[in-house]
Amino acid sequence: MKLDAIDKKLLVLLQKDSKQTTKQLSLFLGLSVTAVYERIKKLEREGVITQYVAIVDKEKIEKSFLAFCHLKLEKHAKENIFFFEKEITKLEEVTECFHVSGNYDYILKIYVKDMNEYRDFMVNKLTALKHIESTYSTFAIGKVKSSKAIIL
């Protein structure tokens, strides 16, 4: 789908605050409420907008300990990859998982309460999965930048 300048402006506004009303958006864009509504529906239909979410303060729900786990599989056999990818989606502590190139096969983004909870996660959940050769963990000591928005 080819996005025009108005679609791009609309997406920027929605990424900043998706709870804005179509009336508020129409004032920013200089369009009618109906035109804004139709554009949003088109962006949803075309799969440009895939979902709307609430961003939760991780401190307030005691899940602010952020770990990045680099993981290597024993073998790159298709069945090992499929098994791992299916099982990793079941672990609620893992918020993102990327299949990557380099020394490791995957990088996991993991949120837990603290180091004790991370240890429990590693021992009882992650390394209990079959076909894992090794893991290497790093921990966030501070947030410099965090954004969910994609620049258009």
Side-chain angles (χ1 to χ4, degrees):
M1 175 180 173
K2 181 107 168 102
L3 301 176
D4 64 19
I6 294 172
D7 289 332
K8 290 178 182 180
K9 285 180 189 173
L10 177 57
L11 288 169
V12 167
L13 291 168
L14 288 171
Q15 287 183 100
K16 284 182 184 173
D17 180 5
S18 66
K19 287 189 74 171
Q20 294 179 81
T21 65
T22 50
K23 183 173 183 162
Q24 290 170 309
L25 293 167
S26 71
L27 294 173
F28 283 119
L29 297 170
L31 297 174
S32 71
V33 172
T34 304
V36 170
Y37 175 82
E38 291 301 324
R39 280 180 180 266
I40 291 171
K41 289 300 167 196
K42 183 176 109 188
L43 292 166
E44 291 171 348
R45 261 191 326 274
E46 296 291 327
V48 175
I49 297 174
T50 58
Q51 70 183 113
Y52 298 92
V53 298
I55 309 239
V56 176
D57 183 331
K58 290 159 192 68
E59 291 280 339
K60 293 189 177 174
I61 61 166
E62 296 186 321
K63 296 291 181 186
S64 62
F65 188 86
L66 172 58
F68 297 96
C69 180
H70 298 67
L71 186 141
K72 186 182 288 191
L73 296 179
E74 294 170 336
K75 275 175 56 177
H76 292 128
K78 185 190 258 186
E79 53 276 359
N80 292 3
I81 291 169
F82 288 151
F83 174 82
F84 173 78
E85 290 181 359
K86 182 178 141 234
E87 293 300 310
I88 204 69
T89 63
K90 297 175 185 175
L91 301 178
E92 63 187 27
E93 295 89 349
V94 177
T95 59
E96 295 183 76
C97 174
F98 300 93
H99 194 178
V100 297
S101 63
N103 293 332
Y104 289 89
D105 300 315
Y106 293 91
I107 297 176
L108 313 177
K109 186 175 178 183
I110 301 161
Y111 282 100
V112 290
K113 179 180 179 180
D114 54 25
M115 181 60 84
N116 288 334
E117 196 171 294
Y118 185 69
R119 182 184 188 283
D120 183 62
F121 167 78
M122 290 296 288
V123 171
N124 296 310
K125 292 184 179 181
L126 186 62
T127 58
L129 296 178
K130 294 187 281 185
H131 313 301
I132 294 177
E133 179 181 307
S134 65
T135 63
Y136 173 82
S137 299
T138 57
F139 309 101
I141 56 175
K143 187 188 314 184
V144 177
K145 179 181 179 182
S146 178
S147 176
K148 302 291 183 229
I150 302 297
I151 302 302
L152 303 169

